[in-house]
Amino acid sequence: MNTAESLSSLPPTPDYDAWPVTVAPERVNHDPHLVELHWRDGRVSRYHGVWLRENAGDASTVNPDTRERILDLSRLAAWPTISAARLDDQGALCVTFAPEDRTLRFHPGWLRANDYSNTAQPDAPLVPVTTWTGETLPEPTSLDAGAWMRQAEDDPAVEALLERALEAVLGHGLVRLRNLPTEPGTLARIAERIGPLRATNFGTLFDVKAKPNPDSNAYTSIALPPHVDLPTREYQPGLQLLHCLENSVEGGQAVMMDGFAIAETLRERHPDAFATLTRVKWCYANTARTTDYVWFDPMIKLDDQGRLLEVRVADFLRGPLMAPFDDIEPAYAALMQLQRLLREPQFAMRFTYRPGDLVIFDNRRLLHARDAFEGNSGHRWLQGCYLERDEIRSRLRMLWRAARQRRVDAAERAPTSG
Ligand code: OGA
Ligand code: ZN
C-alpha cells in the first residue's frame, strides 16, 4: 500500500466518479457484521461488512485500470467479518476485515452517496416522471440550440443546454431543440453527442418524406394514427429523434401524446381493460418486401412496483392476434377502450415542425401521430434516427459527474486560495 498517499488523500472509489464530501463522518461503531457511521448532520448510516468488502476501491477488489470488480467474495477463506473500524485523519472509514486481516479505506463522499440504509427507492428514476396532457403541456419544452453545433462539446453553455434537454426527455418524455442548421445529416452529429445511434432496417438515419415505393406509411402523405415506432422489435427503440429540414406543405401537423398519462387514465376509468392490456400479448408485425419482423408482447408493460415501463401502440403494425381463445373478445374490448381514449382531444399536443426544429422523444412512452398533408403544396422532409434510453441516462450522469468533479476541484483549491 502506498503509505504516503494513504496519509495525504482520500482513498480511490470503485468507479470513475467524483464524490464531494458535503457532510463529514463524526464517529463509527461496529460489530462483526455491521458498521454504523454517524455523520455531522445527525444522519446514521449502516453498512454490512460483506457489502463493504465487496465494494472496496482497492486493487485487491477492483482492477485500477478498468474500475471493474475482480474480487469473487466466495473465494475468501470465510465470510468477511469486521475486526476493527475507525475514521482516519482524512475522514476515511478504515475497516479491518477478518480472516483476511486486511484493512481497507472507504471514501466518505462515496459512502454517503451509496447509503442504502437510508434510501427508500434505490432504483428511483434519475428525473421524476411527470405525466402530461395537451392541456397541462401545450407544447414541448423548447430550447434554442442555434449555436450548439458551433461550440465545443465541453463548453459550459453546451453542457447546460444538453442537461436541460435530457432532463426534459426523462421527465416529460420529449424536448424540442430549435434553430438548428437544416443541412441533411446534421441530426446524426447531434444524436452522437448523446450516444451511439441504433441502426434498423430503415437505415441509421432515415428520411421521412413522401417517396415512390414506400416501405412504411410514414413515407407517404397520409395521416399516421398515434403510434410508437418499431413495436415489432423485441426491444423497441427507447428514443426517436426527428429533425425538420423542410416543411412548406399544407397539413402534416405533428401530434404527440403521453402514453403513460393515457395508460394511467385507462387504469383509473377501466381497470379491467388496463389489466387485460398488461396481460394479453398482441402480435406486432412488420412484414415488408425484404424483411419480416414479428414480436409478441402486451400493449402496456409495468415494472415490479406497478409503475409504467412502456407502451406498445401502433394499430398499423399489428399482425393477427394469436391469444388464448377466451382472451380474444376481452382483448379487443380493452383495445377499443384505449382507442377511444386516444381520440379524446385533451391528450394531444399539436405543433407544426419548423425547419431547424429537432424533437427528441421517448418512443417507449410517447405516442406520435401526424395529420395528412397535401403532397403537391410544397415539401416536407424530416430526418429521423433512434437512440436508447440508456444513452440519455448515461449522458446525464456524465454531466452530473462533471459538475461534482468541479465541486471537488474547487474544494481542493479552497484551502490554498482562501
Ligand atoms: C415516423 C413518423 C411523423 C411525421 O417517421 O415514424 O411517425 O410527422 N413520422 O412524419
Ligand atoms: Zn413514427
Side-chain angles (χ1 to χ4, degrees):
M1 181 157 172
N2 182 336
T3 317
E5 187 206 79
S6 72
L7 292 177
S8 67
S9 59
L10 287 169
T13 59
D15 53 30
Y16 284 102
D17 223 316
W19 299 110
V21 182
T22 48
V23 183
E26 206 166 41
R27 64 189 172 86
V28 56
N29 303 328
H30 78 278
D31 68 22
H33 283 267
L34 287 179
V35 162
E36 192 178 77
L37 205 53
H38 294 249
W39 303 85
R40 292 229 170 109
D41 65 351
R43 190 199 281 193
V44 181
S45 305
R46 301 197 311 150
Y47 305 94
H48 292 85
V50 66
W51 184 94
L52 287 167
R53 181 62 195 89
E54 195 192 38
N55 288 293
D58 73 307
S60 78
T61 312
V62 168
N63 176 352
D65 293 333
T66 62
R67 311 269 173 114
E68 289 182 338
R69 184 174 295 114
I70 50 173
L71 172 73
D72 175 345
L73 276 180
S74 70
R75 289 181 184 273
L76 297 178
W79 186 273
T81 52
I82 300 165
S83 56
R86 65 181 183 87
L87 293 171
D88 69 14
D89 293 346
Q90 309 300 313
L93 172 67
C94 305
V95 180
T96 306
F97 292 93
E100 282 180 279
D101 194 25
R102 189 193 291 275
T103 300
L104 296 171
R105 296 173 73 232
F106 295 86
H107 190 296
W110 181 89
L111 284 171
R112 179 101 179 174
N114 290 281
D115 175 12
Y116 60 93
S117 67
N118 287 296
T119 303
Q121 195 197 335
D123 63 346
L126 284 187
V127 174
V129 171
T130 311
T131 53
W132 52 268
T133 66
E135 284 163 2
T136 61
L137 188 72
E139 59 175 296
T141 302
S142 300
L143 304 173
D144 181 358
W148 202 24
M149 295 309 289
R150 298 193 296 276
Q151 289 164 319
E153 225 167 307
D154 59 355
D155 184 305
V158 168
E159 292 199 337
L161 180 84
L162 193 54
E163 184 172 354
R164 285 189 62 199
L166 301 180
E167 285 177 354
V169 174
L170 291 173
H172 283 134
L174 90 162
V175 72
R176 176 169 60 184
L177 305 179
R178 309 208 86 163
N179 305 320
L180 283 162
T182 53
E183 277 84 56
T186 303
L187 175 60
R189 285 163 55 214
I190 290 177
E192 278 158 6
R193 286 192 162 195
I194 301 173
L197 279 59
R198 170 155 166 191
T200 75
N201 61 309
F202 295 108
T204 306
L205 209 62
F206 48 88
D207 290 300
V208 184
K209 50 158 85 164
K211 15 183 168 179
N213 302 319
D215 55 355
S216 162
N217 285 350
Y219 306 154
T220 69
S221 58
I222 66 173
L224 295 176
H227 68 283
V228 299
D229 275 20
L230 304 177
T232 54
R233 306 302 201 269
E234 174 175 0
Y235 190 75
Q236 53 183 356
L239 298 166
Q240 180 167 177
L241 289 77
L242 290 172
H243 178 213
C244 177
L245 304 182
E246 287 182 88
N247 190 13
S248 54
V249 295
E250 304 274 328
Q253 248 207 344
V255 183
M256 297 273 176
M257 299 175 191
D258 185 353
F260 284 6
I262 293 168
E264 288 298 359
T265 305
L266 187 70
R267 170 146 55 186
E268 259 169 57
R269 290 199 210 158
H270 307 287
D272 291 348
F274 178 83
T276 301
L277 293 184
T278 62
R279 184 176 61 78
V280 175
K281 289 184 177 183
W282 296 83
C283 173
Y284 297 92
N286 187 201
T287 52
R289 291 183 186 88
T290 55
T291 53
D292 199 333
Y293 294 96
V294 178
W295 186 250
F296 293 85
D297 240 336
M299 218 165 268
I300 298 174
K301 272 200 203 169
L302 307 176
D303 71 8
D304 57 352
Q305 311 286 313
R307 291 173 299 210
L308 287 156
L309 200 56
E310 71 170 25
V311 293
R312 276 184 199 250
V313 175
D315 284 344
F316 57 99
L317 294 170
R318 273 194 291 101
L321 176 57
M322 301 288 283
F325 198 79
D326 290 340
D327 281 342
I328 300 291
E329 287 195 337
Y332 276 110
L335 170 64
M336 284 188 249
Q337 292 289 18
L338 178 71
Q339 288 169 328
R340 282 182 204 109
L341 280 186
L342 297 180
R343 285 201 299 275
E344 289 189 11
Q346 80 270 14
F347 289 114
M349 167 200 281
R350 306 186 69 91
F351 57 90
T352 300
Y353 286 112
R354 204 161 78 184
D357 283 354
L358 189 166
V359 291
I360 307 177
F361 57 94
D362 186 329
N363 183 60
R364 295 169 61 207
R365 167 178 171 186
L366 262 58
L367 307 179
H368 60 288
R370 81 158 180 238
D371 294 344
F373 57 92
E374 181 49 63
N376 297 326
S377 60
H379 298 279
R380 187 180 192 273
W381 182 10
L382 310 178
Q383 285 197 313
C385 71
Y386 303 109
L387 297 174
E388 298 305 348
R389 286 175 175 172
D390 290 311
E391 306 305 339
I392 295 268
R393 291 189 293 255
S394 168
R395 202 70 187 77
L396 187 58
R397 285 199 190 91
M398 289 301 294
L399 292 169
W400 289 349
R401 185 197 291 185
R404 280 197 292 270
Q405 185 66 58
R406 285 193 289 271
R407 276 162 61 196
V408 167
D409 293 347
E412 276 171 11
R413 278 196 310 273
T416 43
S417 65

